[in-house]
Amino acid sequence: YKTEAVIHNERIPFSLTEATQRVERPPTDEERAEMRRNPWTRGPFYVYRPTGKLSVQIEGDWYRERHRHTWSDSTHRRLEDCLYSVVRGLLLSADALQRRRQEAKE
């Protein structure tokens, strides 16, 4: 399934992701046994932990458009404080898709 916003009858796909932190961990007993049986199997082994840093990205080929399409948590602001800007970006994306459709018809 895709996450989409429908604005002005245009479907704008977007994603909400959370950054993870890769942390090395010791091998489990099963992994140690496999390393003894197969010398090509070796570490390091990792576990991925959530960081709590969220990001919203409007998906698509927006490199041609001049509006923002990615928002993320940072040390200076939280993603929750950028929701107005995210909605504005979705609206601008819908307008851009409508404009492209009109240009393609002409």
Side-chain angles (χ1 to χ4, degrees), residues 43-92:
F45 300 95
Y46 299 100
V47 63
Y48 294 88
R49 295 187 180 140
T51 63
K53 293 185 178 185
L54 300 175
S55 179
V56 171
Q57 181 173 6
I58 299 174
E59 298 178 8
D61 57 344
W62 300 110
Y63 57 88
R64 289 184 264 166
E65 303 298 327
R66 297 196 185 274
H67 66 272
R68 189 170 184 172
H69 61 277
T70 303
W71 298 263
S72 299
D73 281 332
S74 70
T75 55
H76 303 294
R77 70 164 192 269
R78 303 288 298 162
L79 181 62
E80 301 90 84
D81 299 331
C82 303
L83 290 181
Y84 174 82
S85 181
V86 171
V87 171
R88 184 174 182 274
L90 290 167
L91 287 167
L92 289 170

Side-chain angles (χ1 to χ4, degrees), residues 7-21:
I7 301 171
H8 305 307
N9 292 326
E10 299 290 345
R11 294 183 179 276
I12 311 298
F14 68 94
S15 61
L16 174 65
T17 56
E18 180 177 10
T20 57
Q21 179 183 22

Side-chain angles (χ1 to χ4, degrees), residues 30-45:
E30 293 83 19
E31 291 166 338
R32 282 191 190 101
E34 178 62 28
M35 288 190 303
R36 284 191 293 275
R37 283 191 303 271
N38 183 353
W40 299 106
T41 303
R42 60 180 108 151
F45 300 95

